[in-house]
DNA sequence: CAACATAGGGACATATTAGGTCCCGTATTT
DNA sequence: AAATACGGGACCTAATATGTCCCTATGTTG
């Protein structure tokens, strides 16, 4: 397969571009269906007419169905989309990219999804799906899974296939942070647990509380118990954020944010802020998984994409050689860029 | 590979046409190099400008080199051409075609080359090459190879790779026929023998002689010896011709030709004329391999292409289940046409 | 039930590209 | 030295791709 595609890239590169274009269209229809021509063309950054021409073609091929309510992939279309993914994967030589990033970051494995999640929302969904598929394989009887909040992890949960597990426990890696209920660790925990028919426990802790109250809460028997189980997680799924964005989203005061940034914080993950060297220089006043526990977790899966996350991804060093990173093409290229120019 | 191509046919069917076009161009450059743009466009039945555009593209891809003397394939170009062949092969599902024809003719194997040798001279060369590659594999120590004349067999010899064999003997299957020295069995025999570093013997017999003289010659010790070895051939390569064409080329009188045709002769091979039912109804007054010997030869390879040869191919029944046919797409389709409509 | 938003498809002007044709300077052959 | 065949420049035209706007149907919402 690789050989055929290599030859084709040499002899009919225009067709390969066309292939990618149609793949993008199929993918976008799939993730937004039922969707209209105009919103699709916006989503894809393509002219309305060109989308129309392509859709007409795809309709003739029996891959999309066009209803007055919008366009939908047919069964065939879904099948082709699935198979196209593999082709796109080989075409862009992601295998090679993955290995490169994996070696640069000195982690266990990197999984790269085509595209740029900043520009194309479906890429984030693909990342979630890729991550979910990976995680699915390592869940076993008795697994204790902990996860953080955030849009990326939310996509992992959303795209998690419904499976039946035995004796699995899902926990939030941190107490509730942020206002958006949909992407809070607690919500995601409950949703994931339902999807995989697992048990779950939650951590209800208010945001930005004083250190004293925090300590009091942490000593509550119920909370304490969860924190203890948490430290025994054998699978942690967490998103990586930029320090500037996350500090704002967490509602920190401008002064605090300034201080944080001036100290060199560039990344945030499971409540910790990291500087460029990967040192944890600040901890969100909240309860949850301990930084030093993370090192010993058997499976640590980070998820983050988009060019602007590259620096944060590099900075987030959990010093766990078992870490797996799920990211997108844009971030991967930028990571290589940064680390190679050093 | 088959799967990838199947998906691509669904999602980018335009690809196939383009791929074939560029394949044709590469192939034609290869077989005519160094060749100019104009003669190429004539050869390909394509506009001068379109050839130019494509050649410019191929030049940019580093597949052809453009000199003031003409265009030449680069090393890369040759490699790609070779690999494209396989893709074209799978794309057109020749495997399937081959099996169909093989079953219809009830022979051992059919090898089909893309295109139509009537319209495109390079197809004949490809047939020769395909045949040569097949033959190369079955030659072994002590092989006795016999071959006829004709343009098709000439291409087999021309495209035979230079190899070193041990104790191989090459013989003409018949005494010299036709005026064109280049394609006489004797010439081909000598040429093939040189290419594979084998020994060879020749049969110098004048054309269209009286039966008496023929018998006298056949009893010459030297000739007799060769005829004896000939009957022990373990590999026969022969071309198949149309009865009407061959009788003319052999210089038969109009009366003789008329008689032959009215008796139903449609095919000619190694000096015998066959009717539609595959019965040998006439023998050229010349010496050479015996029809009844052919049945017992271990490897019999026939080569013939072009739509108008289809009938002759069907008619040439040597009743040897070991026969292998090398032909082209046009002939193969026509064979199926004829035999299916019956 | 009516107003509205959004769907696909028709129609057409325009930008872009592909293709046909002819010519020219140059290098090679005769 | 003349003739031939080469690639490449130039330019016109045909074909195609794309942008734009409008129309009618169909769900949705107040």
């Amino acid at each position: 397969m690789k050989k055929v595609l290599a030859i084709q890239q040499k002899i009919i590169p225009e067709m390969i571009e066309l292939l990618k274009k149609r793949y993008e269209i199929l993918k976008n229809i799939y993730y937004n269906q039922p969707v209209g021509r105009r919103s699709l063309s916006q989503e894809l950054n393509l002219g309305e007419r060109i989308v129309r021409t392509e859709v007409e073609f795809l309709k003739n091929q029996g891959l999309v169905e066009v209803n007055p309510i919008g366009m939908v992939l047919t069964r065939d279309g879904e099948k082709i989309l699935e198979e196209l993914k593999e082709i796109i994967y080989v075409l862009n030589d992601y295998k090679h990219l993955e290995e490169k990033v994996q070696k640069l970051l000195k982690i266990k494995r990197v999984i790269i999804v085509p595209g740029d999640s900043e520009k194309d929302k479906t890429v984030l969904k693909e990342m979630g799906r890729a991550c979910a598929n990976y995680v699915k394989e390592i869940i076993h009887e008795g697994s204790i899974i902990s996860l953080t909040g955030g849009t990326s992890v939310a996509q992992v949960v959303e795209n998690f296939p419904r499976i039946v597990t035995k004796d699995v426990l899902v926990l939030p890696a941190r107490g509730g942070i942020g206002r958006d209920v949909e992407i809070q660790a607690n919500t995601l925990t409950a949703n994931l647990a339902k999807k995989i028919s697992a048990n779950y426990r939650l951590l209800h802790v208010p945001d930005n509380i004083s250190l004293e109250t925090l300590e009091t809460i942490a000593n509550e028997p119920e909370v304490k118990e969860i924190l203890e189980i948490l430290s025994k997680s054998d699978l942690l799924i967490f998103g990586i954020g930029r320090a500037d964005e996350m500090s704002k989203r967490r509602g920190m005061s401008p002064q605090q944010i300034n201080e944080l940034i001036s100290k060199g914080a560039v990344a945030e993950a499971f409540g910790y802020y990291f500087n460029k060297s990967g040192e944890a220089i600040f901890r969100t006043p909240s309860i949850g998984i301990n930084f030093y526990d993370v090192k010993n977790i058997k499976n640590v899966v980070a998820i983050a994409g988009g060019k602007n996350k590259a620096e944060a991804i590099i900075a987030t060093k959990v010093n766990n050689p078992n870490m797996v990173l799920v990211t997108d093409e844009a971030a991967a290229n930028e990571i290589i860029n940064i680390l190679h120019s050093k």
Side-chain angles (χ1 to χ4, degrees), chain A residues 53-327:
Chain A
T53 314
E54 293 302 333
V55 164
E56 252 158 27
F57 165 82
L58 294 170
K59 188 175 67 181
N60 284 334
Q61 295 298 100
L63 303 179
V64 314
E65 216 174 272
V66 177
N67 309 319
I69 170 181
M71 300 175 280
V72 184
L73 282 206
T74 63
R75 194 78 206 91
D76 265 18
E78 287 180 19
K79 213 178 100 202
I80 291 281
L81 178 62
E82 222 26 65
E83 291 170 325
L84 272 180
K85 264 186 214 169
E86 293 176 38
I87 294 182
I88 298 285
Y89 185 90
V90 175
L91 223 39
N92 293 15
D93 201 8
Y94 290 120
K95 194 102 201 154
H96 186 231
L97 239 190
E98 285 176 351
E99 276 175 23
K100 215 164 164 180
V101 176
Q102 175 257 317
K103 275 174 192 161
L104 283 170
L105 295 179
K106 298 187 186 89
I107 58 180
K108 185 169 155 197
R109 187 174 161 198
V110 172
I111 297 171
I112 293 173
V113 154
D116 185 346
S117 52
E118 275 176 60
K119 290 176 189 159
D120 181 353
K121 278 174 274 172
T122 67
V123 173
L124 187 60
K125 288 173 195 267
E126 281 296 330
M127 279 170 52
R129 172 181 294 232
C131 185
N133 279 330
Y134 173 74
V135 168
K136 192 187 72 187
E137 296 304 321
I138 52 177
I139 294 178
H140 56 271
E141 194 176 332
S143 280
I144 301 173
I145 305 170
S146 54
L147 35 83
T148 69
T151 51
S152 300
V153 179
Q155 287 299 330
V156 178
V157 175
E158 173 130 358
N159 290 287
F160 219 100
R162 289 187 183 278
I163 55 174
V164 178
T165 59
K166 215 172 153 187
D167 196 21
V168 169
L169 182 63
V170 188
L171 298 169
R174 301 204 62 77
I177 49 176
R179 281 145 218 124
D180 195 342
V181 176
E182 286 303 315
I183 60 169
Q184 278 189 25
N186 278 324
T187 317
L188 300 181
T189 296
N191 290 346
L192 178 59
K194 274 177 212 158
K195 280 207 164 180
I196 65 176
S197 67
N199 299 314
Y200 66 96
R201 305 285 294 270
L202 299 181
L203 259 179
H204 292 294
V205 183
D207 241 0
N208 291 327
I209 47 183
S210 73
L211 284 174
E212 300 122 52
T213 338
L214 203 61
E215 209 145 308
T216 319
I217 294 175
N219 279 322
E220 293 268 336
E222 204 190 334
V223 173
K224 206 172 180 181
E225 190 201 345
I226 295 183
L227 288 177
E228 244 161 58
I229 308 178
L230 206 49
S231 70
K232 290 177 195 148
S233 294
D234 51 10
L235 172 54
L236 167 66
I237 305 169
F238 70 98
I240 296 176
R242 294 167 55 99
D244 48 359
E245 280 178 8
M246 287 307 289
S247 53
K248 268 183 217 161
R249 198 182 302 173
R250 285 252 176 76
M252 284 172 75
S253 73
Q255 293 99 312
Q256 282 179 302
I257 295 179
N258 264 340
E259 195 194 335
L260 198 60
I261 302 299
S262 65
K263 275 186 181 166
V266 294
E268 189 275 350
F270 44 85
Y272 289 82
Y273 286 86
F274 298 86
N275 65 13
K276 275 193 179 178
S277 313
E279 292 155 350
I281 57 175
F282 184 73
R283 181 182 175 177
T284 304
S286 170
I287 57 171
I289 202 157
N290 194 293
F291 180 59
Y292 302 100
D293 288 338
V294 176
K295 271 194 219 172
N296 301 317
I297 296 177
K298 235 195 278 174
N299 291 291
V300 181
V301 180
I303 178 166
K307 192 175 167 182
N308 67 28
K309 286 274 186 77
E311 195 185 18
I313 294 172
I314 296 169
T316 304
K317 290 216 170 69
V318 295
N319 292 321
N320 187 326
N322 287 326
M323 187 172 115
V324 171
L325 169 68
V326 178
T327 187

